[in-house]
Amino acid sequence: MFPYDPIYTGISDIQSDSLKMVAIYAEQFLRFMPRNIQNFPSHGLDHSINIIKLINEFTGNWNLSVTEDEKYILYLSAWLHDIGCICDREHHNEVSYQILLQDESTCNIINNVSANALYNLKFTINSHSSSYDIEEVPKNLNGVRLQLICAIFRILDACEISCTKCPKAVFDLIGPTLKEDPTAYSFWDGHMKIQLVTYKEPDIIILTRGSNENTEKIINRLKKEIDSVKSIFQENGVCIPQISVIDHSLHQ
């Protein structure tokens, strides 16, 4: 069903099994997310799967210990945070959670694994959007450092900016129409020049090729998201990420 099977680490078998069912539910919506492709980079299935990879890389390369329940919330958020885009992109964070609540079966799956996970998701899903005041998230809830987990997820969602969002083969076909929409063109052009995002504390390393003003705008948005959660990282004794950009085209 998926381009590759997501790998879940640091959680229990029952949590991992439940994520397989949650993924099947989320995929119903995510397969339709790349609508209006001329205007928006992909927020479909690949976006969620790539965030799962980023969760694994970040927690594995940062001096950060997360519990099984905290890791489970991050994985659930990766699958569910954008399903609301099917109805309303501007307020999709709020809509995503409301859609989830309407599906009794999926809610039961989550509740049967952890009685508190569904309520915790209300905050991780809503606060991944910069329009949500993350300071309103409870610092600790039901044994989870919820504000910190929300802050981490906001950053990792913002880190999903590489060229996989904007395949060159697709751009070659739609590029002429994008020139009529400078904003859309700048998104595609900027993302296509970002080759990889990886982590080595204290750096978020961004590998680019021929970066330009469009790429810088995308990276600057990530910097703003980091700024929005700095105090939360500091309060929890977690190293604040620094952006390190390496342009391969300058080293050839």
Side-chain angles (χ1 to χ4, degrees):
M1 180 175 59
F2 303 133
Y4 59 83
D5 290 330
I7 297 173
Y8 303 117
T9 64
I11 59 175
S12 67
D13 289 343
I14 190 172
Q15 288 172 330
S16 181
D17 288 343
S18 71
L19 284 166
K20 295 174 184 177
M21 301 303 296
V22 170
I24 291 171
Y25 164 75
E27 191 266 344
Q28 297 176 92
F29 301 94
L30 297 176
R31 74 175 78 161
F32 295 104
M33 289 308 158
R35 295 178 305 161
N36 300 323
I37 197 165
Q38 283 89 342
N39 299 317
F40 302 119
S42 175
H43 270 67
L45 182 63
D46 60 300
H47 177 58
S48 289
I49 291 177
N50 286 335
I51 290 177
I52 290 170
K53 289 177 62 179
L54 294 176
I55 290 170
N56 293 338
E57 292 176 11
F58 183 79
T59 56
N61 291 283
W62 222 256
N63 184 25
L64 173 70
S65 177
V66 294
T67 67
E68 288 185 350
D69 287 344
E70 290 170 341
K71 194 78 166 292
Y72 183 53
I73 291 296
L74 288 172
Y75 285 142
L76 285 170
S77 301
W79 280 119
L80 298 166
H81 72 290
D82 272 344
I83 61 175
C85 287
I86 202 74
C87 299
D88 182 346
R89 189 173 180 88
E90 183 178 357
H91 303 288
H92 73 276
N93 56 324
E94 299 171 9
V95 177
S96 293
Y97 189 68
Q98 293 305 315
I99 290 174
L100 172 61
L101 292 182
Q102 294 172 23
D103 192 274
E104 183 178 355
S105 176
T106 303
C107 290
N108 286 339
I109 288 170
I110 295 171
N111 279 330
N112 287 339
V113 173
S114 171
N116 303 310
L118 187 63
Y119 185 66
N120 289 340
L121 274 172
K122 174 183 179 180
F123 295 99
T124 54
I125 290 175
N126 278 320
S127 68
H128 88 272
S129 171
S130 57
S131 64
Y132 186 95
D133 184 1
I134 201 166
E135 296 291 342
E136 294 183 2
V137 176
K139 293 181 180 180
N140 296 281
L141 192 63
N142 305 315
V144 170
R145 295 168 295 175
L146 190 57
Q147 195 176 77
L148 174 62
I149 294 304
C150 288
I152 291 171
F153 187 73
R154 176 181 284 190
I155 289 179
L156 297 185
D157 179 50
C159 281
E160 211 282 286
I161 55 176
S162 71
C163 55
T164 57
K165 298 177 72 68
C166 301
K168 184 178 183 300
V170 177
F171 180 78
D172 288 343
L173 291 175
I174 68 172
T177 62
L178 291 180
K179 291 182 179 179
E180 299 174 5
D181 185 342
T183 301
Y185 186 93
S186 70
F187 275 115
W188 276 78
D189 180 60
H191 282 294
M192 284 195 303
K193 290 179 170 59
I194 299 175
Q195 304 300 302
L196 179 69
V197 176
T198 189
Y199 308 98
K200 186 176 181 181
E201 187 178 1
D203 294 325
I204 295 178
I205 302 168
I206 301 175
L207 303 181
T208 65
R209 188 175 298 278
S211 62
N212 58 15
E213 181 181 354
N214 294 330
T215 308
E216 290 176 2
K217 288 180 181 178
I218 291 170
I219 294 173
N220 283 337
R221 280 195 293 274
L222 172 57
K223 291 179 178 179
K224 288 181 180 179
E225 297 289 29
I226 294 172
D227 286 341
S228 74
V229 300
K230 271 185 176 180
S231 62
I232 297 173
F233 271 55
Q234 286 175 328
E235 187 173 339
N236 286 273
V238 178
C239 181
I240 299 170
Q242 306 295 316
I243 300 296
S244 175
V245 180
I246 301 174
D247 191 336
H248 278 318
S249 66
L250 301 178
H251 302 279
Q252 294 180 342

